[in-house]
Amino acid sequence: MIQRIQSIYLLIATAISGGLIFVFDLWSNLKNEIFALDLFSRESILLKFIPLLFLLSAAVSFLDIFLFKNRKLQFVVGRLVILINLFLLGLLIYVSLTLPGEVSISKKGIGMFLPILVILLIVLANKAIKKDEDLVKSVDRLR
């Protein structure tokens, strides 16, 4: 049952949340690009939460793939991943708007929009999980 479409969506969401944070920068200042893992070395606890939430989102969505035997739990865990990414998106927006020295930040990176893409993929996965659950319920009614 791992070959279902929702497993593909969850695997892509895992790859985006856990892998693309190494590739795309969150923002750039005049001197260098800031990636998610660079924030571990910052002094602010708020900035340290950003890579932790990216990695937590990747881990939970990867574990969600293997919950295919319990579709209701898989659906709930998908909602949890959506909440993690919504919190991460809000945190990224807050940090980008209140960063000290924002004048020196020249551009926001693509990494700021990765949680939106993950949310979209998890919504598609949850839609497919709901479709499977409805199909199983309709077959049970016929017996």
Side-chain angles (χ1 to χ4, degrees), residues 10 13-14 16-18 51-63 80-82 84-85 88 115 118-119 122:
L10 290 169
T14 301
I16 288 172
S17 189
L52 285 176
L53 287 174
F54 270 118
L55 295 174
L56 179 68
S57 171
V60 173
S61 62
F62 184 71
L63 292 176
L80 178 67
V81 174
I82 290 172
I84 290 170
N85 281 293
L88 177 62
V118 172
I119 290 170
I122 299 296

Side-chain angles (χ1 to χ4, degrees), residues 51-98:
L52 285 176
L53 287 174
F54 270 118
L55 295 174
L56 179 68
S57 171
V60 173
S61 62
F62 184 71
L63 292 176
D64 196 20
I65 295 171
F66 300 105
L67 295 175
F68 59 87
K69 291 183 181 179
N70 191 352
R71 284 176 298 280
K72 290 179 184 178
L73 180 62
Q74 191 179 27
F75 189 77
V76 170
V77 171
R79 286 185 178 175
L80 178 67
V81 174
I82 290 172
L83 286 176
I84 290 170
N85 281 293
L86 283 174
F87 183 71
L88 177 62
L89 184 64
L91 186 63
L92 284 170
I93 291 171
Y94 173 75
V95 166
S96 71
L97 292 176
T98 62

Side-chain angles (χ1 to χ4, degrees), residues 127-141:
K127 187 176 177 183
I129 292 167
K130 177 106 171 84
K131 188 176 174 183
D132 278 355
E133 186 66 26
D134 291 343
L135 180 67
V136 168
K137 284 182 182 178
S138 71
V139 170
D140 285 343
R141 277 189 225 130

